[in-house]
Amino acid sequence: MEKKHISTLLNYSQPGHSNLEFVDINVLDDQALFIDPCLIEIQQGAWYKNATNLLNNFFNEFYRAYRNNDTHRKIELLSYAGEINYTKLGYGNGDNGHGNTAEGLLETFKNLEQLTVNIPTITKPMDIPVTISGFSEDGLSDMMTNILHLQLNEFTLAQLAIAKVEPNSEDTFNTWDAATSAWKEVTLPCYRHEIIRFF
């Protein structure tokens, strides 16, 4: 299958991650690449500080919901935490399965209440999901992509502007809002190549 990398579609003369400020994904297939919260947390700059704040806010709410066994809140938190197909990150095949729904994620995390009781000294709730079998880096990366959706979209728009490429579409999506500790629906410009949306 032919590969179409973002650098090619944007006519960059030097393709590849090392020459760009973004991941030069092949937009036709998933790549085994993941968002790592540890790498975000240790970086300097406003983007990373805001991202860390969003992640901490979400996972504090997540931990509280599981500690209190609050099923309604758990469903709220997991409603927009599944895989986003157009990022092309992770092990997915471009098809969201049952495990990516709120109900599927509830099943994945069914033992988490017991973990929050058995490990009362947890200081970083963000670390909790990594301990869950069947979730690991792929599921955590998907969840973080949703939490940071607005921030990642704004980064993409800034990269398009550098490449002198105008957005040619718009999309409505949910993103995490730390001010309300809730998901928020936003509509913003985006760029599509044929039917493929760039983050």
Side-chain angles (χ1 to χ4, degrees), residues 13-119:
S13 58
Q14 290 186 298
H17 312 313
S18 61
N19 299 310
L20 305 165
E21 291 187 49
F22 54 86
V23 180
D24 194 15
I25 62 166
N26 168 15
V27 299
L28 300 178
D29 201 7
D30 283 357
Q31 284 92 161
L33 299 170
F34 312 98
I35 298 176
D36 186 336
C38 297
L39 294 178
I40 291 174
E41 192 175 35
I42 64 172
Q43 300 300 316
Q44 300 296 313
W47 194 96
Y48 300 102
K49 183 177 180 181
N50 187 50
T52 299
N53 178 54
L54 288 167
L55 293 170
N56 283 334
N57 180 262
F58 177 88
F59 284 106
N60 285 337
E61 292 296 315
F62 181 81
Y63 177 77
R64 188 176 297 115
Y66 273 87
R67 181 88 177 170
N68 298 333
N69 197 13
D70 184 343
T71 302
H72 177 73
R73 182 61 169 155
K74 287 187 280 187
I75 291 172
E76 282 180 351
L77 292 168
L78 296 174
S79 291
Y80 303 103
E83 181 182 358
I84 298 176
N85 289 331
Y86 52 77
T87 64
K88 301 301 180 188
L89 299 177
Y91 297 131
N93 59 8
D95 181 26
N96 281 331
H98 173 70
N100 294 306
T101 65
E103 292 75 18
L105 289 168
L106 276 176
E107 180 63 22
T108 298
F109 293 127
K110 66 183 176 185
N111 297 321
L112 196 52
E113 286 93 356
Q114 194 59 44
L115 276 176
T116 60
V117 172
N118 292 343
I119 314 172

Side-chain angles (χ1 to χ4, degrees), residues 4 17 41 57 76 99 126 133 146 159 181:
K4 284 194 176 181
H17 312 313
E41 192 175 35
N57 180 262
E76 282 180 351
M126 193 187 311
S133 175
N146 285 282
Q159 291 299 310
S181 295

Side-chain angles (χ1 to χ4, degrees), residues 135-177:
F135 192 66
S136 67
E137 72 273 357
D138 191 27
L140 180 60
S141 184
D142 290 341
M143 188 179 273
M144 291 192 326
T145 300
N146 285 282
I147 296 164
L148 301 176
H149 202 146
L150 176 61
Q151 203 169 339
L152 291 167
N153 190 81
E154 290 172 343
F155 173 80
T156 301
L157 292 174
Q159 291 299 310
L160 289 171
I162 291 169
K164 297 183 174 30
V165 174
E166 293 290 327
N168 61 5
S169 186
E170 68 176 22
D171 199 13
T172 300
F173 56 86
N174 287 281
T175 189
W176 188 252
D177 180 47

